[in-house]
Amino acid sequence: MAIRSLTARVLAVSTVWAVVALVVIGVVISALYRQGSERGFQDLLRAQLYNVINSISVNERAVLSGSPQLGDLRFSQPQTGWYWIVEPIGEFDTPPLLSTSLGSAKLPIASIEEVPFDIRYERFYTTMDPFGNEVEVAETEVVLDIQGHAARFRVAGNRDVLEADIDRFTRNLTIALSIFGLGGLGVNALTILFGLRPLDQVRRSLEKIRAGESERLDGAFPREIQPLANEVNALIDSNRRIIERARMQVGNLAHSLKTPIAVLLNEARVLEVPHGELVKTQADAMQTQVQIYLSRARIAAQRGSILARTEAQPALERLVRVMRRLNPDRQFSLSINPPGLILAMEQQDVEETVGNLLENAARHAREHVCLSVRPAPEDVHGKDQGRHWIVLDVDDDGPGLNPDQIALAMKRGKRLDESKPGTGLGLSIVSEIVGEYQGTIELSRRDEGGLRAQLVLPAAV
């Protein structure tokens, strides 16, 4: 799942990079220390090897003699893994000399083919002694006198000492890098959080604008963010001017058309019945059509504006009170759960859409009309998952409609009951307004009888 938080992304990337970097650094340092330790171990064995060489000679009886003193008790203690061995080679027939630690045991020797001598005529190899110790062997061959007597010298050291030293260093290095890494991650997190605080300030300012608590991005922002804040404020100001200009033009157009339509309606009253009724009907249709297109123009001017907000409870309570006065023989109930829902619509559009539905419900209800408001589920009508929606249900206990009648009722100017007053444009107007807000309207027959008109409208958060 994608990480949507910028702070979380930066922290995740920096943390992963820091962990990988510390692991690589630890591995590299450990490998370099191992190489250095092995070279130092070989240098120690080489020094002890030449100490043994300097301590051994051939006496007058052509026998190897000497007692090397290497200053290390491990060469005199049995089975320690630290040994020195001097063996005659060629025709030199004499008993070999061995350190006390090896006793009468024999140390395995690597073949010359497997481990050849280097340019200094030395070679180093690893083998297992008879007691199960892994030992590093330093070996060379030396001519001891002018008669050509030669011997092979070997010094072996227990690799457990080397591995223990490397393990101790690796353990200390791991602890040090872990402490450094945790401290570095903490400092890095604080630095990132401090550096991204201005973006969080912008987010909070935008939330205040959406909540209607502010009209601009206020605050002192860094140089990198200040141009963004200036552009957002300029966009808000431009959007406000466009809305005000559209409202003014709508008002001017409505005012300029109101008088001519009123004149036509007055003249229709004094005309003869057939002609007067025709003029009146057409003038009413003109007035309704003008209202529809003026509403569409107004909505298009402010659609998507973050400034379009209407609190559901006070607006709908006012509508219900009006309907109770106009229809004293009907019972109206209002349910808003939870309270405090806010519609992302102009108040006039909310009143016009819901008012039309309440008026239709009151016209056809027997006794009761119910308006209920609730948050929409996330998958309502396949709506965009990134937005929030509110569902408004207008229920009545009238005769209801069948599917064919519902389809007919949604057509402009179609009236199912000619005996009741109206133009047949109410549902069409509601559909136009709801569509401009990208919402939906749906009519359905209730299980207990009557009609349900359901609106899905955008919510402000």
Side-chain angles (χ1 to χ4, degrees):
M1 183 177 63
I3 302 177
R4 300 185 63 182
S5 169
L6 182 60
T7 302
R9 288 182 182 180
V10 176
L11 285 174
V13 172
S14 61
T15 300
V16 170
W17 165 247
V19 171
V20 172
L22 288 175
V23 170
V24 172
I25 290 172
V27 171
V28 171
I29 293 177
S30 181
L32 292 176
Y33 185 81
R34 173 176 286 276
Q35 292 177 3
S37 297
E38 289 182 345
R39 284 196 299 270
F41 195 67
Q42 290 181 354
D43 289 341
L44 172 64
L45 294 179
R46 181 184 292 110
Q48 293 172 337
L49 177 66
Y50 284 100
N51 283 337
V52 173
I53 292 173
N54 292 331
S55 302
I56 299 299
S57 62
V58 179
N59 60 22
E60 63 277 1
R61 291 177 297 151
V63 175
L64 290 172
S65 65
S67 179
Q69 302 296 322
L70 302 180
D72 193 334
L73 292 177
R74 291 174 296 186
F75 286 97
S76 59
Q77 297 172 348
Q79 304 179 10
T80 58
W82 292 84
Y83 319 113
W84 58 264
I85 304 170
V86 182
E87 296 177 336
I89 56 177
E91 298 180 356
F92 186 27
D93 186 16
T94 183
L97 299 178
L98 307 173
S99 64
T100 307
S101 56
L102 184 60
S104 60
K106 293 185 178 181
L107 190 68
I109 302 174
S111 65
I112 301 298
E113 290 77 13
E114 294 176 356
V115 185
F117 287 98
D118 58 17
I119 57 175
R120 299 170 63 178
Y121 211 74
E122 298 173 352
R123 66 174 185 157
F124 293 87
Y125 55 89
T126 302
T127 186
M128 298 294 294
D129 70 6
F131 314 109
N133 298 311
E134 185 181 24
V135 296
E136 183 83 9
V137 179
E139 180 180 325
T140 188
E141 296 179 354
V142 177
V143 177
L144 297 176
D145 56 16
I146 58 176
Q147 282 78 25
H149 296 121
R152 179 180 294 111
F153 292 81
R154 296 199 301 278
V155 172
N158 196 328
R159 286 186 61 89
D160 288 346
V161 176
L162 173 65
E163 296 298 334
D165 179 67
I166 294 174
D167 290 343
R168 183 169 54 253
F169 175 82
T170 302
R171 184 168 55 254
N172 293 335
L173 176 66
T174 301
I175 295 173
L177 288 180
S178 298
I179 295 174
F180 175 79
L182 292 175
L185 289 176
V187 172
N188 186 50
L190 292 176
T191 303
I192 292 172
L193 293 175
F194 178 76
L196 294 179
R197 279 185 63 187
L199 291 179
D200 191 55
Q201 183 181 357
V202 171
R203 179 185 60 79
R204 290 195 300 268
S205 297
L206 287 174
E207 289 176 350
K208 289 182 178 180
I209 294 175
R210 277 196 172 275
E213 301 174 3
S214 177
E215 294 184 353
R216 297 174 60 83
L217 284 179
D218 298 323
F221 300 104
R223 289 182 301 171
E224 294 83 0
I225 300 179
Q226 190 61 50
L228 172 63
N230 294 338
E231 290 299 322
V232 171
N233 287 332
L235 179 61
I236 293 174
D237 292 339
S238 175
N239 190 56
R240 186 181 294 110
R241 287 194 299 270
I242 291 173
I243 293 172
E244 293 300 328
R245 186 162 57 248
R247 286 173 175 166
M248 182 181 64
Q249 292 173 351
V250 167
N252 291 340
L253 181 56
H255 185 270
S256 64
L257 292 175
K258 183 171 63 174
T259 300
I261 293 176
V263 170
L264 289 175
L265 291 173
N266 288 332
E267 289 297 323
R269 295 191 184 95
V270 300
L271 293 176
E272 296 179 3
V273 175
H275 299 289
E277 187 65 28
L278 176 62
V279 173
K280 182 179 181 303
T281 302
Q282 295 302 314
D284 284 337
M286 288 171 56
Q287 193 172 36
T288 303
Q289 293 287 350
V290 167
Q291 184 61 39
I292 290 174
Y293 285 102
L294 291 181
S295 297
R296 292 181 63 183
R298 184 186 69 253
I299 296 169
Q302 57 80 42
R303 181 173 55 195
S305 170
I306 59 176
L307 303 177
R309 303 171 58 85
T310 299
E311 293 186 24
Q313 187 158 349
L316 298 180
E317 285 179 347
R318 189 163 48 250
L319 273 176
V320 170
R321 285 196 300 269
V322 171
M323 288 297 162
R324 285 170 180 162
R325 286 196 299 267
L326 295 176
N327 303 272
D329 57 335
R330 301 286 191 272
Q331 296 179 7
F332 290 85
S333 62
L334 173 62
S335 170
I336 301 178
N337 186 25
L341 294 176
I342 300 177
L343 291 159
M345 298 174 62
E346 288 288 335
Q347 181 174 332
Q348 182 178 347
D349 297 323
V350 173
E351 293 175 350
E352 188 165 356
T353 53
V354 181
N356 266 295
L357 294 179
L358 289 175
E359 184 179 350
N360 285 340
R363 186 180 302 121
H364 298 284
R366 293 188 178 92
E367 293 181 356
H368 189 75
V369 176
C370 176
L371 172 58
S372 61
V373 185
R374 67 185 188 280
E378 293 184 357
D379 59 345
V380 61
H381 297 315
K383 291 294 184 184
D384 182 4
Q385 298 296 318
R387 299 185 62 183
H388 298 273
W389 301 85
I390 292 176
V391 175
L392 295 89
D393 291 329
V394 179
D395 298 335
D396 64 67
D397 58 354
L401 301 175
N402 59 43
D404 293 336
Q405 289 174 320
I406 289 175
L408 185 61
M410 294 301 296
K411 293 184 178 179
R412 182 188 301 273
K414 295 296 183 181
R415 297 176 58 201
L416 299 177
D417 190 351
E418 298 290 345
S419 66
K420 293 186 170 50
T423 61
L425 294 170
L427 287 177
S428 179
I429 294 173
V430 173
S431 182
E432 291 275 359
I433 296 175
V434 171
E436 290 294 338
Y437 283 101
Q438 300 177 1
T440 57
I441 177 174
E442 181 179 348
L443 301 181
S444 61
R445 187 176 183 86
R446 301 170 62 205
D447 294 338
E448 57 270 28
L451 185 69
R452 165 170 290 178
Q454 184 176 88
L455 293 176
V456 179
L457 300 176
V461 293

